[in-house]
Amino acid sequence: MNKVGFIFDLDGVIVDTAKYHFLAWKKLANELGFEFTEEQNEMFKGVSRKRCMEILLDIGNIKATQDQFDTWMGEKNVDYLAYIENMNASEILPDVPKILKFLKKNNYPIALGSASKNARPILEKVGLLHYFDAILDGNNVTKAKPDPEVFLLAAKELEISPENCVVFEDAVAGIAAANSAKMISIGIGDKTILSKAQYNFKDFTEMSVDFIKEIIGN
Ligand code: BG6
Ligand code: MG
């Protein structure tokens, strides 16, 4: 049996920070004079900060100078950092520790594959950093999801071939990245939105350890 590696996205998979990203972008949109909906926010999931800023300006039909672009993007991050400042273990999504503990106990390599540049401090705040053998995030990549770069780098660090890696993702862009890396993609969230995932779960409470064993076995 080949060794299997597990790669977790962060925002919306391990912790419910997707709501904080949304609130911070919504605040900026409102300041710039337009609305920003949860539906539009789906396009922002898994996508780099810079790309989110570009999409937001498109939605608001706003032309920005480079200086404005950088300032507004910086403001969004300051607001986001304020939201996450007091995060603690209570904001870990249900049953995430169940899966992490099982994998760790059985010596399966675990990586983080996130688009966020704030990933490491968040893992520290919620007390999950020690589970991860490798952390690949927005600071390590040149190409954002749906490009598979972050997941391929994670596989490389874990020394596991991509086809033996399992990816947990809540974003359409992240599932596309996992699929194009030829990894096993597991959608966490709305099945209709994440229809390109190989397997779907509403959240980790729906996922049994037996399912993980089955994946490892295959
Ligand atoms: C992803 C989020 O994990 O990280 C995106 O799903 C976010 O919504 C991206 O834009 C970048 O995050 P950050 O923390 O670097 O602004
Ligand atoms: Mg995510």
PDB file of all heavy atoms in Angstrom, residues 9 11 21 25 44-49 52 76-77 80 114-118 145 170, ligand 1:
ATOM      1  N   ASP A   9      -7.027  22.579   3.572  1.00  0.00           N
ATOM      2  CA  ASP A   9      -7.189  24.018   3.425  1.00  0.00           C
ATOM      3  C   ASP A   9      -7.470  24.561   4.837  1.00  0.00           C
ATOM      4  O   ASP A   9      -7.806  23.793   5.747  1.00  0.00           O
ATOM      5  CB  ASP A   9      -8.360  24.297   2.475  1.00  0.00           C
ATOM      6  CG  ASP A   9      -8.698  25.760   2.396  1.00  0.00           C
ATOM      7  OD1 ASP A   9      -7.765  26.571   2.208  1.00  0.00           O
ATOM      8  OD2 ASP A   9      -9.889  26.116   2.554  1.00  0.00           O
ATOM      9  N   ASP A  11      -9.074  28.213   5.795  1.00  0.00           N
ATOM     10  CA  ASP A  11     -10.286  29.024   5.944  1.00  0.00           C
ATOM     11  C   ASP A  11     -11.511  28.262   5.452  1.00  0.00           C
ATOM     12  O   ASP A  11     -11.578  27.878   4.283  1.00  0.00           O
ATOM     13  CB  ASP A  11     -10.155  30.332   5.139  1.00  0.00           C
ATOM     14  CG  ASP A  11      -9.038  31.219   5.651  1.00  0.00           C
ATOM     15  OD1 ASP A  11      -8.912  31.384   6.873  1.00  0.00           O
ATOM     16  OD2 ASP A  11      -8.268  31.766   4.822  1.00  0.00           O
ATOM     17  N   HIS A  21     -13.455  36.947   6.584  1.00  0.00           N
ATOM     18  CA  HIS A  21     -13.039  37.485   5.277  1.00  0.00           C
ATOM     19  C   HIS A  21     -14.225  38.217   4.646  1.00  0.00           C
ATOM     20  O   HIS A  21     -14.092  39.331   4.146  1.00  0.00           O
ATOM     21  CB  HIS A  21     -12.586  36.359   4.339  1.00  0.00           C
ATOM     22  CG  HIS A  21     -11.193  35.862   4.577  1.00  0.00           C
ATOM     23  ND1 HIS A  21     -10.080  36.645   4.374  1.00  0.00           N
ATOM     24  CD2 HIS A  21     -10.723  34.659   4.990  1.00  0.00           C
ATOM     25  CE1 HIS A  21      -8.988  35.940   4.640  1.00  0.00           C
ATOM     26  NE2 HIS A  21      -9.344  34.738   5.022  1.00  0.00           N
ATOM     27  N   TRP A  25     -14.416  42.209   3.637  1.00  0.00           N
ATOM     28  CA  TRP A  25     -14.629  42.658   2.242  1.00  0.00           C
ATOM     29  C   TRP A  25     -15.908  43.467   2.122  1.00  0.00           C
ATOM     30  O   TRP A  25     -15.980  44.453   1.396  1.00  0.00           O
ATOM     31  CB  TRP A  25     -14.671  41.467   1.270  1.00  0.00           C
ATOM     32  CG  TRP A  25     -13.347  40.837   0.977  1.00  0.00           C
ATOM     33  CD1 TRP A  25     -12.991  39.539   1.182  1.00  0.00           C
ATOM     34  CD2 TRP A  25     -12.178  41.475   0.416  1.00  0.00           C
ATOM     35  NE1 TRP A  25     -11.688  39.327   0.792  1.00  0.00           N
ATOM     36  CE2 TRP A  25     -11.168  40.486   0.321  1.00  0.00           C
ATOM     37  CE3 TRP A  25     -11.883  42.772  -0.016  1.00  0.00           C
ATOM     38  CZ2 TRP A  25      -9.889  40.758  -0.187  1.00  0.00           C
ATOM     39  CZ3 TRP A  25     -10.605  43.042  -0.521  1.00  0.00           C
ATOM     40  CH2 TRP A  25      -9.636  42.054  -0.601  1.00  0.00           C
ATOM     41  N   PHE A  44     -14.759  34.422  -3.755  1.00  0.00           N
ATOM     42  CA  PHE A  44     -13.568  34.854  -3.019  1.00  0.00           C
ATOM     43  C   PHE A  44     -12.902  33.718  -2.256  1.00  0.00           C
ATOM     44  O   PHE A  44     -11.756  33.828  -1.847  1.00  0.00           O
ATOM     45  CB  PHE A  44     -13.947  35.965  -2.012  1.00  0.00           C
ATOM     46  CG  PHE A  44     -14.184  37.300  -2.648  1.00  0.00           C
ATOM     47  CD1 PHE A  44     -15.023  37.430  -3.738  1.00  0.00           C
ATOM     48  CD2 PHE A  44     -13.563  38.438  -2.156  1.00  0.00           C
ATOM     49  CE1 PHE A  44     -15.245  38.664  -4.328  1.00  0.00           C
ATOM     50  CE2 PHE A  44     -13.767  39.678  -2.746  1.00  0.00           C
ATOM     51  CZ  PHE A  44     -14.612  39.794  -3.832  1.00  0.00           C
ATOM     52  N   LYS A  45     -13.661  32.620  -2.081  1.00  0.00           N
ATOM     53  CA  LYS A  45     -13.137  31.525  -1.270  1.00  0.00           C
ATOM     54  C   LYS A  45     -11.971  30.840  -1.974  1.00  0.00           C
ATOM     55  O   LYS A  45     -12.069  30.493  -3.151  1.00  0.00           O
ATOM     56  CB  LYS A  45     -14.248  30.522  -0.949  1.00  0.00           C
ATOM     57  CG  LYS A  45     -15.268  31.099   0.013  1.00  0.00           C
ATOM     58  CD  LYS A  45     -16.283  30.057   0.439  1.00  0.00           C
ATOM     59  CE  LYS A  45     -17.276  30.682   1.421  1.00  0.00           C
ATOM     60  NZ  LYS A  45     -18.373  29.766   1.726  1.00  0.00           N
ATOM     61  N   GLY A  46     -10.883  30.662  -1.260  1.00  0.00           N
ATOM     62  CA  GLY A  46      -9.708  29.991  -1.805  1.00  0.00           C
ATOM     63  C   GLY A  46      -8.854  30.866  -2.692  1.00  0.00           C
ATOM     64  O   GLY A  46      -7.792  30.458  -3.154  1.00  0.00           O
ATOM     65  N   VAL A  47      -9.310  32.085  -2.928  1.00  0.00           N
ATOM     66  CA  VAL A  47      -8.659  32.974  -3.891  1.00  0.00           C
ATOM     67  C   VAL A  47      -7.738  33.958  -3.152  1.00  0.00           C
ATOM     68  O   VAL A  47      -8.066  34.406  -2.053  1.00  0.00           O
ATOM     69  CB  VAL A  47      -9.768  33.713  -4.687  1.00  0.00           C
ATOM     70  CG1 VAL A  47      -9.195  34.768  -5.585  1.00  0.00           C
ATOM     71  CG2 VAL A  47     -10.568  32.700  -5.496  1.00  0.00           C
ATOM     72  N   SER A  48      -6.605  34.300  -3.750  1.00  0.00           N
ATOM     73  CA  SER A  48      -5.623  35.159  -3.071  1.00  0.00           C
ATOM     74  C   SER A  48      -6.212  36.540  -2.763  1.00  0.00           C
ATOM     75  O   SER A  48      -7.176  36.982  -3.393  1.00  0.00           O
ATOM     76  CB  SER A  48      -4.386  35.337  -3.948  1.00  0.00           C
ATOM     77  OG  SER A  48      -4.703  36.160  -5.048  1.00  0.00           O
ATOM     78  N   ARG A  49      -5.586  37.194  -1.793  1.00  0.00           N
ATOM     79  CA  ARG A  49      -6.058  38.521  -1.374  1.00  0.00           C
ATOM     80  C   ARG A  49      -6.096  39.491  -2.554  1.00  0.00           C
ATOM     81  O   ARG A  49      -7.058  40.233  -2.753  1.00  0.00           O
ATOM     82  CB  ARG A  49      -5.124  39.053  -0.287  1.00  0.00           C
ATOM     83  CG  ARG A  49      -5.690  40.206   0.498  1.00  0.00           C
ATOM     84  CD  ARG A  49      -4.677  40.712   1.519  1.00  0.00           C
ATOM     85  NE  ARG A  49      -4.178  39.671   2.394  1.00  0.00           N
ATOM     86  CZ  ARG A  49      -3.117  39.805   3.182  1.00  0.00           C
ATOM     87  NH1 ARG A  49      -2.449  40.943   3.205  1.00  0.00           N
ATOM     88  NH2 ARG A  49      -2.702  38.810   3.948  1.00  0.00           N
ATOM     89  N   CYS A  52      -8.895  38.693  -4.909  1.00  0.00           N
ATOM     90  CA  CYS A  52     -10.181  39.105  -4.297  1.00  0.00           C
ATOM     91  C   CYS A  52     -10.389  40.601  -4.512  1.00  0.00           C
ATOM     92  O   CYS A  52     -11.491  41.053  -4.841  1.00  0.00           O
ATOM     93  CB  CYS A  52     -10.197  38.817  -2.798  1.00  0.00           C
ATOM     94  SG  CYS A  52     -10.277  37.073  -2.382  1.00  0.00           S
ATOM     95  N   LYS A  76      -8.487  46.209   4.172  1.00  0.00           N
ATOM     96  CA  LYS A  76      -9.247  44.960   4.361  1.00  0.00           C
ATOM     97  C   LYS A  76      -8.487  44.021   5.294  1.00  0.00           C
ATOM     98  O   LYS A  76      -9.065  43.406   6.194  1.00  0.00           O
ATOM     99  CB  LYS A  76      -9.499  44.288   2.999  1.00  0.00           C
ATOM    100  CG  LYS A  76     -10.336  43.017   3.080  1.00  0.00           C
ATOM    101  CD  LYS A  76      -9.476  41.769   3.227  1.00  0.00           C
ATOM    102  CE  LYS A  76     -10.285  40.546   3.618  1.00  0.00           C
ATOM    103  NZ  LYS A  76      -9.459  39.349   3.806  1.00  0.00           N
ATOM    104  N   ASN A  77      -7.179  43.920   5.091  1.00  0.00           N
ATOM    105  CA  ASN A  77      -6.422  42.988   5.932  1.00  0.00           C
ATOM    106  C   ASN A  77      -6.367  43.456   7.387  1.00  0.00           C
ATOM    107  O   ASN A  77      -6.437  42.643   8.302  1.00  0.00           O
ATOM    108  CB  ASN A  77      -5.009  42.773   5.382  1.00  0.00           C
ATOM    109  CG  ASN A  77      -4.332  41.583   6.035  1.00  0.00           C
ATOM    110  OD1 ASN A  77      -4.915  40.491   6.107  1.00  0.00           O
ATOM    111  ND2 ASN A  77      -3.140  41.777   6.557  1.00  0.00           N
ATOM    112  N   TYR A  80      -9.577  42.471   8.828  1.00  0.00           N
ATOM    113  CA  TYR A  80      -9.595  41.010   9.000  1.00  0.00           C
ATOM    114  C   TYR A  80      -8.775  40.606  10.230  1.00  0.00           C
ATOM    115  O   TYR A  80      -9.205  39.788  11.050  1.00  0.00           O
ATOM    116  CB  TYR A  80      -9.062  40.336   7.727  1.00  0.00           C
ATOM    117  CG  TYR A  80      -9.004  38.833   7.828  1.00  0.00           C
ATOM    118  CD1 TYR A  80     -10.173  38.079   7.908  1.00  0.00           C
ATOM    119  CD2 TYR A  80      -7.781  38.162   7.870  1.00  0.00           C
ATOM    120  CE1 TYR A  80     -10.122  36.696   8.020  1.00  0.00           C
ATOM    121  CE2 TYR A  80      -7.719  36.785   7.985  1.00  0.00           C
ATOM    122  CZ  TYR A  80      -8.890  36.054   8.057  1.00  0.00           C
ATOM    123  OH  TYR A  80      -8.841  34.681   8.180  1.00  0.00           O
ATOM    124  N   SER A 114      -2.920  26.428   2.091  1.00  0.00           N
ATOM    125  CA  SER A 114      -3.852  27.555   2.168  1.00  0.00           C
ATOM    126  C   SER A 114      -3.387  28.719   1.306  1.00  0.00           C
ATOM    127  O   SER A 114      -2.188  28.920   1.123  1.00  0.00           O
ATOM    128  CB  SER A 114      -3.945  28.017   3.632  1.00  0.00           C
ATOM    129  OG  SER A 114      -4.590  29.260   3.724  1.00  0.00           O
ATOM    130  N   ALA A 115      -4.346  29.497   0.823  1.00  0.00           N
ATOM    131  CA  ALA A 115      -4.012  30.706   0.060  1.00  0.00           C
ATOM    132  C   ALA A 115      -3.685  31.878   0.982  1.00  0.00           C
ATOM    133  O   ALA A 115      -3.163  32.903   0.548  1.00  0.00           O
ATOM    134  CB  ALA A 115      -5.199  31.089  -0.826  1.00  0.00           C
ATOM    135  N   SER A 116      -3.972  31.702   2.268  1.00  0.00           N
ATOM    136  CA  SER A 116      -3.865  32.838   3.198  1.00  0.00           C
ATOM    137  C   SER A 116      -2.435  33.119   3.636  1.00  0.00           C
ATOM    138  O   SER A 116      -1.660  32.207   3.908  1.00  0.00           O
ATOM    139  CB  SER A 116      -4.711  32.574   4.441  1.00  0.00           C
ATOM    140  OG  SER A 116      -4.511  33.597   5.379  1.00  0.00           O
ATOM    141  N   LYS A 117      -2.130  34.409   3.752  1.00  0.00           N
ATOM    142  CA  LYS A 117      -0.840  34.819   4.319  1.00  0.00           C
ATOM    143  C   LYS A 117      -0.923  34.899   5.843  1.00  0.00           C
ATOM    144  O   LYS A 117       0.053  35.187   6.510  1.00  0.00           O
ATOM    145  CB  LYS A 117      -0.415  36.171   3.730  1.00  0.00           C
ATOM    146  CG  LYS A 117      -0.111  36.069   2.241  1.00  0.00           C
ATOM    147  CD  LYS A 117       0.427  37.361   1.676  1.00  0.00           C
ATOM    148  CE  LYS A 117       0.872  37.126   0.224  1.00  0.00           C
ATOM    149  NZ  LYS A 117       1.231  38.347  -0.459  1.00  0.00           N
ATOM    150  N   ASN A 118      -2.126  34.693   6.370  1.00  0.00           N
ATOM    151  CA  ASN A 118      -2.331  34.757   7.826  1.00  0.00           C
ATOM    152  C   ASN A 118      -2.483  33.365   8.437  1.00  0.00           C
ATOM    153  O   ASN A 118      -2.938  33.237   9.581  1.00  0.00           O
ATOM    154  CB  ASN A 118      -3.589  35.579   8.140  1.00  0.00           C
ATOM    155  CG  ASN A 118      -3.467  37.023   7.675  1.00  0.00           C
ATOM    156  OD1 ASN A 118      -2.520  37.716   8.032  1.00  0.00           O
ATOM    157  ND2 ASN A 118      -4.402  37.489   6.854  1.00  0.00           N
ATOM    158  N   LYS A 145      -4.639  29.361  -6.124  1.00  0.00           N
ATOM    159  CA  LYS A 145      -5.668  28.399  -6.540  1.00  0.00           C
ATOM    160  C   LYS A 145      -6.600  29.115  -7.516  1.00  0.00           C
ATOM    161  O   LYS A 145      -6.866  30.292  -7.321  1.00  0.00           O
ATOM    162  CB  LYS A 145      -6.490  27.930  -5.325  1.00  0.00           C
ATOM    163  CG  LYS A 145      -5.675  27.212  -4.255  1.00  0.00           C
ATOM    164  CD  LYS A 145      -6.520  26.984  -2.995  1.00  0.00           C
ATOM    165  CE  LYS A 145      -5.663  26.491  -1.842  1.00  0.00           C
ATOM    166  NZ  LYS A 145      -6.397  26.361  -0.567  1.00  0.00           N
ATOM    167  N   ASP A 170     -12.991  23.756   0.914  1.00  0.00           N
ATOM    168  CA  ASP A 170     -14.360  24.316   0.923  1.00  0.00           C
ATOM    169  C   ASP A 170     -14.601  25.249  -0.256  1.00  0.00           C
ATOM    170  O   ASP A 170     -15.685  25.814  -0.382  1.00  0.00           O
ATOM    171  CB  ASP A 170     -14.621  25.107   2.212  1.00  0.00           C
ATOM    172  CG  ASP A 170     -13.877  26.425   2.222  1.00  0.00           C
ATOM    173  OD1 ASP A 170     -12.677  26.431   1.847  1.00  0.00           O
ATOM    174  OD2 ASP A 170     -14.475  27.454   2.583  1.00  0.00           O
TER     175      ASP A 170
HETATM  176  C1  BG6 B   1      -8.144  31.857   1.513  1.00  0.00           C
HETATM  177  C2  BG6 B   1      -9.543  32.410   1.658  1.00  0.00           C
HETATM  178  O1  BG6 B   1      -7.955  30.789   2.396  1.00  0.00           O
HETATM  179  O2  BG6 B   1      -7.175  32.869   1.786  1.00  0.00           O
HETATM  180  C3  BG6 B   1      -9.713  33.634   0.761  1.00  0.00           C
HETATM  181  O3  BG6 B   1     -10.478  31.405   1.314  1.00  0.00           O
HETATM  182  C4  BG6 B   1      -8.635  34.647   1.091  1.00  0.00           C
HETATM  183  O4  BG6 B   1     -10.989  34.150   0.917  1.00  0.00           O
HETATM  184  C5  BG6 B   1      -7.267  34.014   0.946  1.00  0.00           C
HETATM  185  O5  BG6 B   1      -8.741  35.758   0.231  1.00  0.00           O
HETATM  186  C6  BG6 B   1      -6.126  34.977   1.291  1.00  0.00           C
HETATM  187  O6  BG6 B   1      -6.163  35.232   2.665  1.00  0.00           O
HETATM  188  P1  BG6 B   1      -5.320  36.345   3.401  1.00  0.00           P
HETATM  189  O7  BG6 B   1      -5.476  35.981   4.865  1.00  0.00           O
HETATM  190  O8  BG6 B   1      -3.899  36.200   2.956  1.00  0.00           O
HETATM  191  O9  BG6 B   1      -5.901  37.656   3.049  1.00  0.00           O
END
